[in-house]
Amino acid sequence: MRKTIVRCAACAPALLAAALLAAPLARAEMTEIKVAQQYGIGYLPLILMEEQKLIEKYARAGGIPDLKVGWAKFAGGNVMNDALLSNSLQFASGGVGPFVTLWARTRGNLDVKAVAAIDSMPLFLNTRNPAVKTIKDFTERDRIALPAVKISIQAITLQMAAEKAFGEGQQGKLDPLTVTLSHPDAQVALLSGQSEITAHFGSPPFQYQQLRNPAVHTVLSSYDVLGGPATFNVVWTSSKFRADNPRIYEAFAKALDDAIGQIHADKKAAAEAYLRISRDKDTVQDILAMLNDPAIVFTTTPQNVTKYVDFMFKTGAIKVKPDSWKDLFFPNAHGLPGS
């Protein structure tokens, strides 16, 4: 018996070393991330997060003291998706269309999902062509600018409207008229009257600024097409990034909640911040009027997302359909009254 005890005592250091080698090493979280945003007041929470370094603030509180956060501006969600897939971007933000496209594309591998919604707001299809009263009036002489042909939320909404106007299977009837342009560039082209661009399916504040020109009028609103308020923007990342960087992910989610809370608490200050950071030439009064519009709501709760998903699945834009909106979002959003 004594001999056995001595032998076990002698091998204890070796066993301990083997156990330590077998134990999984704690993976350090990233020290630098990049976040993408686009143009317009739909990205106001992210604009505040950038200026106030809110992600860094909550990362420090979570035990990551030196996180560096870079920000990039993109014209459309298609380019952001490519950046996310190449790991040169960690958080993408944009319309439901490009997000759902990547969600379906990455099932079973990167498993991209949404962190949260950012806002619900109507999107207007404006035109300077006086002959266009409905989308049926567009001809081959018209060109409709939007952030990304076929996959942007504006493009998907236009397809939904086309199917209603022209009939089942005709969702792509207006696609040949669409042109990819950033909202600022599309606005310049539309208002110049010297461009091939005769219409712009935009977003706030651009759509409201355009309507101050008496030559411009609205053809349709996304809320008309969807039958009510619907999510405009969401923010998304990969399941792998979330699993490898749980504290950074949590810091981002808390920063987004903080920024949205600030907008609700003081819309005038939010309007001033938007103009200061975006360098938009609009007035505080005009931006504040948009923020006070009851149709414009900053919220992490998704609204009518499944209407877009159902349409995209029906038309073959995506090959897999979620059982619920919760399948599209990470668990931190599951307690919200989404749709």
Side-chain angles (χ1 to χ4, degrees), residues 75-97:
N78 56 334
V79 185
M80 274 193 290
N81 281 346
D82 290 341
L84 195 68
L85 290 174
S86 68
N87 202 34
S88 57
L89 183 69
Q90 282 66 55
F91 290 97
S93 63
V96 173

Side-chain angles (χ1 to χ4, degrees), residues 237-251:
T237 188
S238 70
S239 291
K240 184 181 187 308
F241 171 82
R242 177 176 175 268
D244 291 347
N245 302 274
R247 289 180 293 171
I248 295 176
Y249 179 92
E250 184 178 5

Side-chain angles (χ1 to χ4, degrees), residues 175-249:
D175 284 358
L177 306 183
T178 59
V179 177
T180 297
L181 280 178
S182 70
H183 290 316
D185 289 343
Q187 174 147 305
V188 170
L190 179 69
L191 296 179
S192 72
Q194 306 300 313
S195 165
E196 66 170 356
I197 302 301
T198 60
H200 176 209
F201 211 151
S203 69
F206 309 103
Q207 60 195 27
Y208 298 106
Q209 294 167 345
Q210 293 161 11
L211 290 172
R212 295 173 199 156
N213 185 319
V216 176
H217 66 276
T218 298
V219 180
L220 63 80
S221 163
S222 61
Y223 281 13
D224 297 332
V225 179
L226 272 291
T231 292
F232 170 28
N233 291 315
V234 296
V235 59
W236 60 94
T237 188
S238 70
S239 291
K240 184 181 187 308
F241 171 82
R242 177 176 175 268
D244 291 347
N245 302 274
R247 289 180 293 171
I248 295 176
Y249 179 92

Side-chain angles (χ1 to χ4, degrees), residues 116-187:
I118 301 176
D119 48 54
S120 292
M121 54 182 63
L123 311 175
F124 295 169
L125 173 57
N126 291 339
T127 184
R128 63 177 300 119
N129 184 345
V132 176
K133 306 302 181 185
T134 74
I135 62 169
K136 285 187 172 183
D137 299 323
F138 284 115
T139 72
E140 66 278 359
R141 293 188 297 275
D142 291 293
R143 291 295 179 270
I144 304 168
L146 37 74
V149 298
K150 298 202 175 189
I151 74 163
S152 66
I153 189 171
Q154 289 86 353
I156 301 298
T157 305
L158 184 62
Q159 289 181 346
M160 295 172 77
E163 184 182 75
K164 287 184 177 182
F166 300 107
E168 194 78 18
Q170 296 297 306
Q171 69 274 1
K173 189 173 180 65
L174 298 177
D175 284 358
L177 306 183
T178 59
V179 177
T180 297
L181 280 178
S182 70
H183 290 316
D185 289 343
Q187 174 147 305

